[in-house]
Amino acid sequence: MTTQGEATTAQLLEADRREPNVATFASGVSSASQHAALRASVRQLGALLGEALERHEGAELLTLVEKVRALAREPEDDELRALLEGVDARTAVVLARAFTAYFQLVNVTEQLHRWQELSAVEQTPLAATVGRIGDALEEGTLERDELDDVLARLEYRPVFTAHPTEATRRTVLNLLRRIAVTVDELEDPRRPASDGPRAERRLAELVDMLWQTDELRIVRPEPTDEARTALHTLRFLADQVVPDLLAELDRTLEGIGVTLPTSARPLRFGAWAGGDRDGNPNVTPAVTLEVIGMQHDAGLAELVEKLDHMLHELSSSTRFIEVTDAMRESLERDAAALPVTYAAVRRLNAEEPYRLKLSFIRVRLLRTRDRLNHGTAHEPGRDYASFDELLADLVLIRDSMIAGGDRLTADGAILRLVRSVVATGTGLATLDIREHSAKHHAALGELYDRIGELPTPYAELDVPERIALLSKEMAARRPLTGVAVHGAPDVGEAATASLSLLGAIGRALDTYGPEAIETYIVSMTHDVDDLFAVVVLAREAGLVTFGTETTEATARIGFAPLFETVAELEAAGPLLEALLSDPSYRRIVAARGDVQEIMLGYSDSSKDAGIAASQWQIHRAQRALRDIARAHGVVLRLFHGRGGSVGRGGGPTGEAILSQPYGSLDGPIKITEQGEVISDKYTLPGLARFNLEVALAAVLEASVLHRRSLLPKDVLDGWNGTMDLVAGRGQDAYRSLVRDPSLVPFFVSATPVDELGKMNIGSRPSKRPGGEGGLDDLRAIPWVFGWTQSRIILPGWFGVGSGLAAAREDGREKTLREMYGSWAFFRTFLSNVQMTLAKSDLDIAAGYVRALVPDDVSGLFDTIREEHARTVEEVLRVTGQKELLESAPVLRRTLDLRDSYLAPLHALQTSLLARSRAVPDDVEPDPEVQRALLLTINGIAAGLRNTG
């Protein structure tokens, strides 16, 4: 029996064993043929960039650029140092611009060739996943009812956020997209030979225009500017990506006999720009309402464009088809409500019912857009009061087609339109609201102290007393304050601010519908009182009613705790248990369809305890949350707040989804898309489609096929114990470093973190207000960005080597290798760490330390070097390699190519930092030096890509 059990375990481990595709973790090409094509494209664009530089700046500067690049291959080259110290500020600007433009061209060309490589695969990600689901149905390991149940709540929602990691302007991104399209034309073997000269000239024009375009924003963007950037991407996806992607999902599911209902939303989008208030004083209730208005104006404009295209296509005539009575009656109502429209279209389209119907829908959408923009009243039948009305009209067309025997068009063009509309809604994305927990307690303190019924001021209550008070308040029926006193003199500033925000949410829901805002996220959630507080305030604003044991509650929005630190993650399970055990709060969850959202923060937990402890504690928290949600009959919707860099939870989205604990993904999931990740994944339509498809396929597979683990408990316990040791020792090493008194001065001097705050790349301040300038005051994003600029990239690996070494020395080396081979979580974790190590370069970092770091703190670099060497050694032991990226030689060559152009930027940045910091505080810095410095920050961010 034991032998059989061991054999079964071995088979299960072998079934899960696979080597990671390292190129996936670097977002690069992996085949020799594509690498050769990429090199050819880069040479062509590099030559065009050189010609543009010579035209605008002269041959001498082009020669200087090439000389700097050649000398920079040796970081300690004295000739290079002397050369850079001698260039004037304007020349430094040109040098920085030249290398930055090169990386911008390389990035977009690599995106193009990555897509060409991915598009050549025989089976799409969705087809592969649905194939495995079909096999499970045939084998009897999956019941069709269970599949249908999961598909009914399947939802992948990327949430586009505005954070200071995207250093490239939208203007530049648009130019780069046009350059990629032109390169693709030139490489197309079907292109007529006569088109070559035209395309080549066009490419030269675009590269020249790139040189003429300012990479730096003139002013810091406002939240509305960030919202426009997100809308630009969302409209692009809605137009060029979403329809075909969802058609592919329908096609693959049809192959296993599954049809999604028209109301299904396997893909939708979220947004944070204009709703994320935590630490950003620029996001006011008025800004939030303005952004939601912008979203719906853009969304309705996109829907009208879709209708315009469909009007040209649906020419079915009643001479040849039959329509349903419901369709005829609908057209009669439309004609009565919109007589001017009917008079305009009936002469040409009287016998084309679907064109008539689409014409009426189009006019109603235009009138809806006009009503929302001008704040006029809804006119039944003449505009749309809700999204459901629009969807009903579109489904009516499809139902009529099916009844008339035209299943091909009904499941083709019309279904694609329906799926797209359901995915994007009328506002393209649903906005989340985020606010700090302390704001709500301050507001309640003013309200309770105004009433005067507590024996002590609210602020002096301890946590158990606050929990008891607020739980009792939720069960009560009285208001703490009436509508009449909102903004009254005796209501303080904090209460006014919170009630104004909640009132704005109510107005948004009244005006735009329930999908305008869905979730209120509470950052720095330490205990249930932090959720209870905002729920009580929401009651005051009329957004929730608690109901009773015999009456249902109502909740116009949901509430989600954000767990950010390791301590908060450790307490996540007990906190959810306490939340769902409170009768009043449980009724609120029931009113939201028995869905409880939880947000998991990767950035602050990593900054708090190091990447190993952060990743492991997030994994453990998900297990606890999964079990508690199941016990309470609640669907758990996890919201992963990931950044672009590994140190902030970044890495391939599909791999990350599949590495979640079994059963923690039960249909819906939200994942942030931040900074340069958005431009890297979504600039080109083909690559955007692939990235969304990979993620959607992973959500489908994890929700359907990863519902329970088949491995024996003793294997899982061994893995858990090993990971406990890795994370614990890694945390010890990391905290020993960050608690060293020399760490902050070392970090500030060895990186351009202070200079980063001067870049106009985000509306949110890089430091928390009111701090003393220490590590705790610095936000996680500049913490990662700064280390990346100097090529230490410490948040993505520090402590991992100590953790792995401790596990190995404890006799667990075989277990570590087993985990790497057969545990998706550990394999993904280590692959991300390996990629970060490959991108780090401590020889370049040493140049920063020598030139910029005071002698009394520079010794810390020895500690960093030791842990780096230890981490490389231990990662190679576990992965069975002799050198990093041994299994991906093509990728190594690509990274080496980037390094040859990154080295001069690092050398120039070091020189400029030294020059800038040598200026006395009472002397105005040279603006050209500052500009050149910011351009090097831009260029290095472009060269390394996943920087924040």
Side-chain angles (χ1 to χ4, degrees), residues 178-190:
R178 289 195 287 272
I179 287 171
V181 169
T182 309
V183 170
D184 197 29
E185 287 179 14
L186 283 167
E187 294 181 352
D188 188 347
R190 300 166 299 178

Side-chain angles (χ1 to χ4, degrees), residues 26-45:
S27 299
V29 298
S30 58
S31 67
S33 60
Q34 281 298 334
H35 180 73
L38 171 62
R39 290 293 297 267
S41 296
V42 169
R43 282 194 296 272
Q44 179 186 25
L45 291 170

Side-chain angles (χ1 to χ4, degrees), residues 97-403:
R97 291 195 68 217
F99 290 111
T100 298
Y102 172 81
F103 278 122
Q104 290 168 339
L105 293 169
V106 168
N107 285 349
V108 78
T109 310
E110 191 168 54
Q111 290 167 13
L112 173 64
H113 287 89
R114 192 159 85 237
W115 161 239
Q116 290 176 352
E117 183 173 83
L118 294 169
S119 63
V121 299
E122 294 182 1
Q123 195 175 39
T124 67
L126 277 172
T129 291
V130 173
R132 286 189 284 273
I133 292 173
D135 292 342
L137 288 171
E138 288 186 10
E139 294 165 1
T141 55
L142 174 67
E143 296 295 329
R144 190 165 290 273
D145 288 347
E146 186 178 22
L147 172 60
D148 292 341
D149 184 49
V150 173
L151 287 175
R153 57 179 178 270
L154 183 73
E155 180 194 298
Y156 169 54
R157 192 189 314 185
V159 180
F160 293 85
T161 70
H163 278 293
T165 59
E166 172 55 270
T168 307
R169 294 178 61 202
R170 190 169 74 238
T171 300
V172 172
L173 293 175
N174 287 334
L175 266 174
L176 292 171
R177 182 181 290 158
R178 289 195 287 272
I179 287 171
V181 169
T182 309
V183 170
D184 197 29
E185 287 179 14
L186 283 167
E187 294 181 352
D188 188 347
R190 300 166 299 178
R191 170 184 55 82
S194 58
D195 281 358
R198 175 198 59 78
E200 287 172 356
R201 177 178 173 80
R202 175 61 173 158
L203 190 60
E205 291 174 8
L206 291 169
V207 173
D208 197 87
M209 183 54 63
L210 180 67
W211 181 256
Q212 297 180 51
T213 302
D214 193 352
E215 303 90 336
L216 299 179
R217 296 182 176 93
I218 299 173
V219 295
R220 183 176 293 277
E222 297 178 352
T224 49
D225 299 319
E226 294 169 332
R228 287 187 186 93
T229 298
L231 287 174
H232 177 79
T233 301
L234 288 165
R235 285 202 67 173
F236 165 72
L237 293 174
D239 178 43
Q240 300 192 39
V241 177
V242 171
D244 289 341
L245 171 59
L246 294 178
E248 171 70 4
L249 177 62
D250 279 326
R251 185 190 68 79
T252 54
L253 287 175
E254 184 182 5
I256 60 171
V258 173
T259 301
L260 290 177
T262 52
S263 59
R265 302 189 77 171
L267 175 67
R268 60 186 296 198
F269 299 96
W272 264 27
D276 183 11
R277 296 166 54 88
D278 183 13
N280 192 341
N282 302 306
V283 179
T284 64
V287 165
T288 297
L289 289 172
E290 183 180 358
V291 166
I292 295 174
M294 289 164 51
Q295 289 181 197
H296 283 77
D297 186 68
L300 288 165
E302 181 63 33
L303 291 179
V304 169
E305 286 188 15
K306 290 184 185 301
L307 266 292
D308 287 339
H309 291 307
M310 194 63 66
L311 277 166
H312 291 292
E313 186 172 336
L314 289 189
S315 53
S316 306
S317 170
T318 51
R319 291 178 180 270
F320 311 110
I321 65 157
E322 289 287 336
V323 299
T324 60
D325 291 341
M327 172 59 71
R328 279 192 292 270
E329 292 166 3
S330 173
L331 289 173
E332 290 171 2
R333 289 194 299 272
D334 289 338
L338 299 165
V340 175
T341 302
Y342 181 58
V345 299
R346 68 179 175 181
R347 187 175 67 84
L348 295 177
N349 305 128
E351 295 182 344
E352 296 171 338
Y354 300 138
R355 267 189 175 159
L356 278 175
K357 185 62 181 175
L358 289 173
S359 295
F360 289 129
I361 294 173
R362 180 182 183 277
V363 169
R364 290 182 70 179
L365 286 172
L366 288 170
R367 293 180 64 85
T368 303
R369 188 183 181 199
D370 186 68
R371 171 174 62 82
L372 293 176
N373 285 336
H374 295 92
T376 55
H378 163 58
E379 297 180 82
R382 292 171 61 78
D383 61 15
Y384 287 110
S386 69
F387 171 77
D388 290 341
E389 285 186 22
L390 168 63
L391 181 60
D393 269 353
L394 294 174
V395 171
L396 182 66
I397 296 174
R398 181 170 182 266
D399 290 345
S400 181
M401 287 179 171
I402 293 173

